[in-house]
């Protein structure tokens, strides 16, 4: 016999749940926003890497991805437009994992390990963004509280 699963509404009424959720949002969002700032501060190097990986319009791709990371990260941290912020981050992180960190096509063992580490970071980041997306339509504690949904 299979176990039945029921869906419970998201609750933050246990001790420190809201504060821990806020801390998690800040750690996740601020880290991604900082990574996005690096796209702008090291545009030339990152555009060269994007070109090496075969992305079209590498400089534009770096600027656009930096904007997604900064805006999405700040949106998650502040609780502003959480569905758009978390959804954008999830899509970006999954797409960049596959396009930019294709460790399976790298011959050099050290470079392959570096690409695999970056790939896995993007995948677990996408997992966190998807979890936040799943609760994006609910009221978040300590959130700005603006959104489309």
């Amino acid at each position: 016999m299979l176990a039945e699963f029921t869906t419970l509404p998201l609750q933050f009424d246990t001790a420190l749940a809201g504060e821990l959720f806020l801390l998690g949002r800040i750690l996740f969002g601020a880290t991604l926003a900082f990574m996005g700032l690096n796209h702008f501060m090291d545009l030339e190097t990152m555009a060269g890497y994007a070109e090496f990986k075969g992305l079209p319009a590498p400089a534009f791709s770096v600027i656009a991805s930096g904007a997604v990371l900064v805006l999405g990260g700040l949106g998650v941290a502040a609780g502003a437009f959480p569905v758009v912020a978390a959804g954008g981050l999830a899509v970006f992180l999954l797409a960049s994992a596959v396009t930019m960190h294709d460790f399976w096509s790298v011959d050099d063992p050290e470079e392959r390990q570096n690409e695999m580490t970056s790939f896995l970071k993007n995948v677990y980041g996408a997992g966190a963004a998807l979890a936040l997306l799943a609760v994006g339509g609910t009221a978040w504690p300590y959130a700005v509280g603006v959104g489309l949904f």
Side-chain angles (χ1 to χ4, degrees), residues 40-75:
F40 300 111
M41 295 187 306
D42 199 12
L43 178 61
E44 188 176 315
T45 302
M46 290 194 160
Y49 186 68
E51 184 175 25
F52 169 74
K53 288 293 190 170
L55 264 85
F60 175 77
S61 296
V62 171
I63 291 168
S65 62
V68 168
L69 287 168
V70 169
L71 295 174
L74 292 176

Side-chain angles (χ1 to χ4, degrees), residues 58-115:
F60 175 77
S61 296
V62 171
I63 291 168
S65 62
V68 168
L69 287 168
V70 169
L71 295 174
L74 292 176
V76 163
F81 301 99
V83 172
V84 175
L89 289 170
V91 169
F92 166 74
L93 289 167
L94 286 173
S96 67
V98 174
T99 59
M100 297 299 292
H101 304 298
D102 53 346
F103 66 90
W104 53 89
S105 66
V106 177
D107 292 329
D108 178 61
E110 186 175 331
E111 187 179 337
R112 184 181 321 114
Q113 182 61 53
N114 289 337
E115 291 294 353

